[in-house]
Amino acid sequence: MANFHTHLGVASALGALGACVGWQAGLWSGLEALPLLGLVAFGGILPDIDSDHSRAIRLIFNLFAVLAVVGGALLLQGRLSPGELLVACGGLYLGVRHLAGGVFKRFTVHRGIWHSLLAAGLCGLVTTALSYRLLAQEAGLAWAQGLALLLGCVIHLLLDELYSVDLVGARIKRSFGSALKLCDLREPGNSALMLLLAVGLLPWLPPWPSLMELLGQGVHLLPRWQ
């Protein structure tokens, strides 16, 4: 299968290309293009969050822990003394990085539900909802950020499938088909839970016409770059 550097490098390159094309076409500003690039790159390693000993899971949970500390500090700074705030932020970091990370490892398997289009779609919707509701981004930009993360995840899944084909030995490895799948039929409960979570996000998403407009603009760009 593709390694960490391949996933990150390919997703970053394609993310940079897409972000620049959208910038030049006026879909977003140069400053707004940078988070889009970052989200594609992050999506490029996100599916390997289910690999217990990968660099991806360590990087991802470190990032989540830092975000938890920043969010906790912003929410609690007016309620706690500096010493108490320091202890609370330290607890948040340890809780997310080690406790949540350990629980996640315990209940996930590599090439399971996180290597699926359902998981990629859910992560894209979560990103869109957070961008629109929490960060107060404009609807079209929020959808673009969700699609950027989705794109990165799909790039990861495609690379895994491509690396499952041994062109030199003219054979297909046993891992073929385990990455780019709609859902994980071995764990129908997990797939059903993800689907329910996706449905539950619907009221928190930006207006759907904004997504249709963004996709339409993207389709109109294709002839220019062929």
Side-chain angles (χ1 to χ4, degrees):
M1 66 182 68
N3 60 25
F4 175 84
H5 293 291
T6 301
H7 284 305
L8 184 60
V10 173
S12 297
L14 294 178
L17 176 62
C20 287
V21 169
W23 172 32
Q24 293 300 313
L27 299 182
W28 43 73
S29 68
L31 189 60
E32 291 167 341
L34 293 177
L36 293 172
L37 163 58
L39 285 167
V40 178
F42 181 67
I45 62 171
L46 183 57
D48 274 346
I49 195 174
D50 61 11
S51 181
D52 292 351
H53 304 291
S54 68
R55 295 180 62 180
I57 190 172
R58 295 194 298 271
L59 177 62
I60 290 168
F61 272 98
N62 274 328
L63 177 60
F64 286 166
V66 170
L67 291 176
V69 169
V70 172
L74 292 175
L75 291 173
L76 299 174
Q77 61 180 344
R79 306 177 185 180
L80 301 177
S81 67
E84 292 171 336
L85 183 60
L86 181 62
V87 171
C89 289
L92 280 172
Y93 182 87
L94 293 175
V96 173
R97 174 62 185 86
H98 297 288
L99 180 59
V103 171
F104 190 87
K105 290 180 182 180
R106 173 67 179 81
F107 291 100
T108 57
V109 295
H110 190 45
R111 291 291 185 102
I113 187 61
W114 287 97
H115 277 71
S116 70
L117 294 175
L118 176 59
L122 175 62
C123 291
L125 291 178
V126 169
T127 302
T128 300
L130 289 176
S131 176
Y132 186 63
R133 297 292 179 178
L134 185 62
L135 302 180
Q137 298 287 349
E138 182 267 334
L141 183 60
W143 279 118
Q145 291 174 347
L147 289 174
L149 187 74
L150 172 61
L151 174 61
C153 291
V154 172
I155 291 170
H156 180 111
L157 302 182
L158 285 171
L159 284 173
D160 277 349
E161 295 296 358
L162 289 174
Y163 273 73
S164 295
V165 179
D166 184 357
L167 296 178
V168 177
R171 67 185 181 90
I172 296 178
K173 301 177 183 178
R174 289 193 303 172
S175 60
F176 184 77
S178 62
L180 190 62
K181 54 185 181 290
L182 181 60
C183 61
D184 187 6
L185 296 178
R186 297 171 300 175
E187 297 289 342
N190 289 340
S191 297
L193 178 59
M194 277 197 171
L195 184 58
L196 288 174
L197 289 173
V199 173
L201 283 171
L202 294 180
W204 301 94
L205 297 174
W208 291 95
S210 300
L211 174 61
M212 298 299 104
E213 180 181 356
L214 178 65
L215 294 176
Q217 291 171 328
V219 170
H220 288 145
L221 282 177
L222 292 178
R224 299 187 194 177
W225 296 90
Q226 290 178 348

